[in-house]
Amino acid sequence: MIVAEIKRALSSTSFLIALGVGLLFALAHILTVAVPYAFDPDWSLVQAGSKGVYPNSLLNSWIGATPYALSTSLFFFALPLLVCLPHAGTLYTDLKSGFISSVITRCSIKDYLVAKAVAVFLSGGIIGIAPLLFNFLGTAMLLPALTPEPAAGIFNVPPTALLADLFYAQPWAYLLFFLVFDFILCGIIACSCFVFSFLVSNKFVVVVAPFLVCVITYFALGDASGYSPINLLNPSQSHIAQLIPTLASYVIIACAITLFVVWKYRRFEVV
Amino acid sequence: MIALTNNRPHSGPLPQGSVFLRFLRYELVSGILFSRGRLALSVLVIVLLCGGFMLSYSSLVGGLPELSGKKPLVDFAMVFGFLLTGSDFYSMDGSTPFVIPAVWILAQTAIAFLIGSRVNDTLEDQALQTLTRVQSRDTWWIAQCIWVFIMVAIFYIAAALFAVLLAFILTAQATPGIELDLWSYLTSSPRPEGGMFDFASLFIAPFLLSAALSMLQVSLSLVIGPIPAFLAILCYDIASVYLNLPFLIGDDAMIARSSFAHVGGYNPLLTMLIALLVFVASAILGRTLLLKKDLAGKKGE
């Protein structure tokens, strides 16, 4: 059942469209930010052996390090919606169309929901990090990875940012953390559509509601907007967030989603 | 609940005009009033538009230059006209080159969400039933266009009424005798001679822009589906925030900032013309697409 659901999720047209849109933003960022940086006159000075020059490099030029760029803003703003596009609304359509009645003659409702959750989580995670990886590798082809230097003043990770000390001490560990964190966060956002699948009767609302929650928390929470997914998905966060409260709040959200779905499936009846 | 069914006995089919009026009434009422979620979101949109106005006004008053050691008088018409800014007003300087208009984005997102959720109902889920009742795709489409226009108008009229109320209160507290040409202060251009028409146009321009983008969203939904159309409109809005390009009409709803970047200052008439053009073009495009749309095939997916 899990394999069938994953195949269904990853081979759908909407998955390819969402992935394509994400990659388009990543490509636009390479063309508008990384390419001009690669031809920056500062590099000529470095090649000529000048000292004291610290040009833009990989770790402050990829999409996760340039919060001021339009392509970065568009990508991280649209990401909570993109991750829900491929498969997150299929629980609602399966329930509404009666397809679920056919499925549970072949397996238990529990197996079906677990398979659905795994497929939605994976599809959301892949949509989330594939454009990031593509952009990182594309930028790496144009710019070298200089070690982050706080005194250079060109790295968009302020001392108050999440894991800022790790970024300047072990930048690759910092990147790995954010790629894993983004994958999990995108998966949780996609799975949150399950809650709305049981609460509302409109596919548009089911798929877009998590995005709307993310936008409202980002723009309306004031000082607490650092904990909005739109801020946390971006490695160079515009707002301040602490590590422990961040992890704790998303573990609680994931548990709440799971408990809600379990509560619903225990009361599930095929009409 | 208002239904499309005919409760009165009649002989033969109803005239098309009667069906249209009944369908339009159904669209207007069921579009917002009979959906608690959409009603709540509509209230949120109005609160956001009013909140945006208050934030902008408060930023403006805080940043006004003092004349002869006193805060200048901002007359009623000027306060009334300040709704035109449509975004968080801020004083551009070296330390604050750019501020994301959060309230404006939230309001536009909520409007796009409302449009998308309704379009999903009418053009996707209930399409076949609606067509069976209305019997004419033209009637259906015209009712959709009117619904979009009226719904967006309600939001902006409510916000304008709030602005008028606030204008009465705030102008009573200003220092009399010292006046500031707020028009020039806001738009970086000389105050035109048009009088009230210019103020009226400044009110109408942001509304027309919202209506045009909403209409475009409905038409796009027929081609690429409600969710991608919602995403496209939002990306357009965000791009408007970041870029000052003539074809990004969303930016013209944020005149306080647009006026800094537009050569020759802000031109509300041009904005209204572009918005009207987009609205009409979207309506015509949407009608053509709806006439060709395979509603039965869509239902089977």
Side-chain angles (χ1 to χ4, degrees):
Chain A
M1 191 65 204
I2 290 179
V3 175
E5 274 296 329
I6 291 173
K7 271 186 184 172
R8 189 181 164 199
L10 302 187
S11 61
S12 65
T13 313
S14 51
F15 177 80
L16 295 176
I17 290 172
L19 191 62
V21 172
L23 292 174
L24 203 64
F25 285 132
L27 182 65
H29 182 273
I30 292 173
L31 295 175
T32 55
V33 178
V35 170
Y37 281 1
F39 293 101
D40 195 320
D42 279 0
W43 284 109
S44 310
L45 297 174
V46 173
Q47 284 160 355
S50 299
K51 303 290 182 188
V53 182
Y54 208 96
N56 290 304
S57 57
L58 173 64
L59 293 173
N60 79 323
S61 303
W62 74 295
I63 198 166
T66 50
Y68 49 82
L70 172 64
S71 44
T72 306
S73 299
L74 281 176
F75 175 70
F76 286 107
F77 185 77
L79 196 52
L81 184 55
L82 289 178
V83 300
C84 296
L85 263 181
H87 205 55
T90 54
L91 177 62
Y92 170 77
T93 49
D94 287 358
L95 284 166
K96 196 183 176 195
S97 66
F99 177 70
I100 195 167
S101 310
S102 309
V103 173
I104 59 173
T105 57
R106 295 162 189 264
C107 69
S108 69
I109 182 72
K110 183 184 170 186
D111 288 346
Y112 168 79
L113 285 173
V114 168
K116 181 69 80 183
V118 170
V120 169
F121 190 89
L122 277 180
S123 63
I126 291 169
I127 295 290
I129 66 157
L132 290 176
L133 282 173
F134 171 75
N135 180 272
F136 187 80
L137 294 175
T139 309
M141 290 169 71
L142 296 162
L143 290 160
L146 300 184
T147 307
E149 171 55 53
I154 56 169
F155 292 92
N156 290 301
V157 181
T160 50
L162 193 73
L163 296 176
D165 46 352
L166 185 67
F167 175 72
Y168 290 104
Q170 297 290 339
W172 301 110
Y174 176 86
L175 284 173
L176 186 65
F177 169 82
F178 265 99
L179 287 177
V180 174
F181 182 70
D182 280 9
F183 187 92
I184 295 170
L185 195 51
C186 288
I188 292 173
I189 294 169
C191 288
S192 67
C193 288
F194 289 171
V195 175
F196 298 102
S197 300
F198 290 107
L199 295 178
V200 292
S201 56
N202 182 317
K203 191 187 173 188
F204 177 87
V205 177
V206 168
V207 176
V208 178
F211 166 78
L212 201 63
V213 172
C214 293
V215 171
I216 290 172
T217 53
Y218 184 66
F219 287 118
L221 282 187
D223 290 340
S225 58
Y227 297 99
S228 166
I230 293 179
N231 184 59
L232 290 170
L233 285 168
N234 190 345
S236 61
Q237 313 110 47
S238 311
H239 303 277
I240 298 168
Q242 303 297 324
L243 181 63
I244 301 299
T246 301
L247 295 179
S249 55
Y250 283 95
V251 167
I252 291 169
I253 289 170
C255 291
I257 294 168
T258 311
L259 285 173
F260 181 84
V261 175
V262 168
W263 176 64
K264 277 289 178 185
Y265 110 77
R266 283 179 187 276
R267 283 160 179 73
F268 185 79
E269 284 180 11
V270 177
V271 181
Chain B
M1 179 174 175
I2 295 176
L4 278 172
T5 50
N6 183 17
N7 296 323
R8 284 177 294 183
H10 64 88
S11 56
L14 281 169
Q16 196 56 41
S18 173
V19 173
F20 172 72
L21 287 176
R22 187 168 297 174
F23 183 59
L24 181 60
R25 189 174 58 142
Y26 168 79
E27 280 289 314
L28 291 174
V29 175
S30 68
I32 294 180
L33 290 180
F34 283 139
S35 166
R36 275 178 294 177
R38 276 200 283 267
L39 187 61
L41 209 57
S42 304
V43 173
L44 177 70
V45 171
I46 293 170
V47 169
L48 284 169
L49 288 173
C50 294
F53 170 67
M54 285 184 73
L55 282 173
S56 299
Y57 188 81
S58 126
S59 304
L60 171 75
V61 170
L64 277 180
E66 289 196 348
L67 301 174
S68 306
K70 293 179 179 175
K71 284 285 179 188
L73 173 69
V74 181
D75 65 42
F76 173 79
M78 287 298 183
V79 176
F80 188 75
F82 194 68
L83 183 70
L84 63 95
T85 55
S87 73
D88 313 354
F89 183 83
Y90 70 101
S91 300
M92 184 186 275
D93 55 35
S95 60
T96 318
F98 178 75
V99 169
I100 292 177
V103 178
W104 185 82
I105 291 176
L106 277 174
Q108 299 307 315
T109 305
I111 291 173
F113 185 83
L114 270 171
I115 297 283
S117 68
R118 180 63 185 157
V119 166
N120 188 80
D121 276 349
T122 53
L123 297 177
E124 301 281 327
D125 290 350
Q126 305 160 5
L128 280 179
Q129 295 95 316
T130 311
L131 189 60
T132 309
R133 289 290 180 190
V134 182
Q135 295 177 351
S136 159
R137 294 191 185 210
D138 267 333
T139 305
W140 185 9
W141 183 248
I142 293 167
Q144 281 287 318
C145 297
I146 295 175
W147 173 75
V148 167
F149 195 84
I150 290 179
M151 193 190 69
V152 178
I154 288 170
F155 297 150
Y156 278 87
I157 287 170
L161 289 175
F162 174 81
V164 172
L165 182 69
L166 206 65
F168 270 117
I169 298 166
L170 293 171
T171 49
Q173 297 169 351
T175 309
I178 305 164
E179 294 190 13
L180 173 78
D181 188 354
L182 190 58
W183 175 283
S184 305
Y185 185 76
L186 280 178
T187 64
S188 309
S189 57
R191 189 172 180 173
E193 299 297 323
M196 285 311 290
F197 172 74
D198 290 294
F199 290 115
S201 69
L202 292 169
F203 266 106
I204 296 166
F207 151 66
L208 276 181
L209 287 165
S210 260
L213 287 179
S214 300
M215 197 66 242
L216 183 65
Q217 187 186 348
V218 177
S219 297
L220 275 178
S221 299
L222 291 167
V223 191
I224 55 177
I227 300 169
F230 172 79
L231 180 63
I233 291 296
L234 282 190
C235 286
Y236 185 88
D237 282 341
I238 297 290
S240 299
V241 168
Y242 277 81
L243 301 173
N244 274 298
L245 297 174
F247 63 88
L248 290 175
I249 57 174
D251 194 43
D252 287 338
M254 296 172 285
I255 162 178
R257 195 180 54 237
S258 302
S259 57
F260 291 122
H262 286 191
V263 177
Y266 175 73
N267 187 344
L269 279 177
L270 181 66
T271 301
M272 286 200 300
L273 275 175
I274 293 173
L276 268 177
L277 194 69
V278 172
F279 189 92
V280 172
S282 303
I284 293 170
L285 174 75
R287 179 187 172 275
T288 314
L289 292 167
L290 185 64
L291 290 179
K292 292 180 179 174
K293 190 174 169 70
D294 179 11
L295 295 168
K298 187 74 186 167
K299 192 76 182 168
E301 281 180 15

